[in-house]
Amino acid sequence: MMPPRTVAKGMQSGIPVDKGRGVCSAVTDDPAGGTSGIGMEVAGSQAKAAVRTAAPRTLPANPSWGRVLATTVSLWTGRRVARLRHPRLALFLAICVAVAAAAAVSVVRVSGTSPRTAPPARPHQVRPAWAAGAAGPVRAQAAAWVAGQVSSAEMVGCDPLMCAALRAHGVAASRLVPVGTGASGAAGAGVLVASLVSDDQQGAPVLLASFGSGGSVVEVRTAPPQGSAAYQRAVQADQAARRSAGTQLLHSRRVQVGAQAAGQLQAGEVDTRLLIMLAMLASQHPWQVVAFDGASPGVPLALAPFRQVTITGPDAAALAASLALVRAQRAPYQPVQAAGQAAQGQLAQGQLAQGQLALRIDFAAPSPPGLLTGGASG
């Protein structure tokens, strides 16, 4: 049997302890606490139970570093202060810990995670100046029409905003002639695109197309080289010649025309170049006219007739051969567009069956007068 172990005063578990004033020891002097390992384990388990009891059951998501540090210091202080026998020493220790915690929180706030900054806003797409205001959509319509309907050989006079709109719609900058407040400054331009405010009626008397209404109007005009009076006489003579040629085309057995298209031919509302092209194609293969189209906005058909036709032939071989023939033409009979296509159910006002092959021919504006009377040069 082992003799009982005695511990001298100032000894803890046989280990001499020299405590100075204000120095904390991790080993207790309380005999009730026991000096054995079992007593220390019991005390440790009680401290853990106290921590579990004091800790909240649900923690907020993503606590800040300051809150985590404050909670840790509070728990550590509670465990240590509860073991001290001297109230003054406990108060002194609590003050020290509080000051240290405050300093640590300040450091965390200053040097910790930087505050979240909002992501940079996406830059708003800035609308071009030519598209702004009530006249913006009108400029866009006029620019799209000029890009698709005016011959690429024509020089176009325009003010700065209209020139920018034309460039945005694919008109080459080399074709644009900047003008001032009047058409008189558009030297070398065959076509003028301008608003009513800046348009000079004497400089560009022939109206090709008009867009918009009220104060937002953009007109496309041209100045005929032979002068305004001579041009008007040529237009009247050309309309009479178109009526005659259209009526003759209706008597051809190789050109089939519906009621609506027949009325347009008899009224002289079809461009002279289309009439000549149809007569040439009919000499090779029989054709059916599906529809005429391509009228100029804001201009009577007598002054700006249809410049587009859609026709269908006997088979794909005839269509391919005729398409090659059309594309081989030279000015003024060279089309701005000629393409073979299959009907999609809505082509030519639904008059073609689904998948039926068709040939579409477009001529550029303006329509040259005098081709049937010999008053125009090729």
Side-chain angles (χ1 to χ4, degrees), residues 42 71 135 148 192 209 336:
V42 172
T71 302
L192 175 69
V336 70

Side-chain angles (χ1 to χ4, degrees), residues 226 234 238 332-333 368-378:
Q226 68 272 25
D238 191 73
Y333 302 106
L371 294 179
L372 293 173
T373 60
S377 60

Side-chain angles (χ1 to χ4, degrees), residues 220-354:
V220 184
R221 290 181 171 270
T222 185
Q226 68 272 25
S228 177
Y231 180 83
Q232 296 298 333
R233 291 192 298 267
V235 167
Q236 294 176 2
D238 191 73
Q239 185 179 9
R242 294 198 305 266
R243 292 195 189 101
S244 177
T247 302
Q248 294 178 14
L249 199 61
L250 290 175
H251 292 89
S252 173
R253 296 182 179 181
R254 300 177 67 85
V255 179
Q256 299 180 8
V257 182
Q260 182 178 3
Q264 294 165 347
L265 286 171
Q266 291 175 338
E269 297 176 348
V270 180
D271 188 284
T272 304
R273 295 165 294 182
L274 286 181
L275 298 175
I276 297 175
M277 187 66 66
L278 285 174
M280 181 187 68
L281 294 178
S283 65
Q284 305 293 325
H285 304 281
W287 293 94
Q288 178 184 358
V289 175
V290 179
F292 294 109
D293 204 348
S296 300
V299 184
L301 288 172
L303 300 178
F306 291 113
R307 294 174 288 100
Q308 177 191 116
V309 66
T310 301
I311 58 178
T312 181
D315 50 38
L319 188 146
S322 298
L323 178 59
L325 180 62
V326 171
R327 289 178 174 175
Q329 300 302 309
R330 296 184 178 182
Y333 302 106
Q334 184 179 23
V336 70
Q337 179 182 354
Q341 55 189 2
Q344 301 297 325
Q346 296 181 351
L347 179 62
Q349 303 173 356
Q351 299 181 29
L352 289 178
Q354 183 74 18

Side-chain angles (χ1 to χ4, degrees), residues 25-80:
S25 174
V27 184
T28 179
D29 291 337
D30 189 358
T35 58
S36 65
I38 296 177
M40 295 179 66
E41 290 179 2
V42 172
S45 63
Q46 291 176 353
K48 293 178 180 179
V51 171
R52 288 194 298 269
T53 302
R57 295 184 180 275
T58 58
L59 294 177
N62 298 327
S64 63
W65 282 105
R67 185 179 296 275
V68 172
L69 182 59
T71 302
T72 304
V73 171
S74 176
L75 295 176
W76 183 87
T77 304
R79 291 197 300 268
R80 298 303 186 273

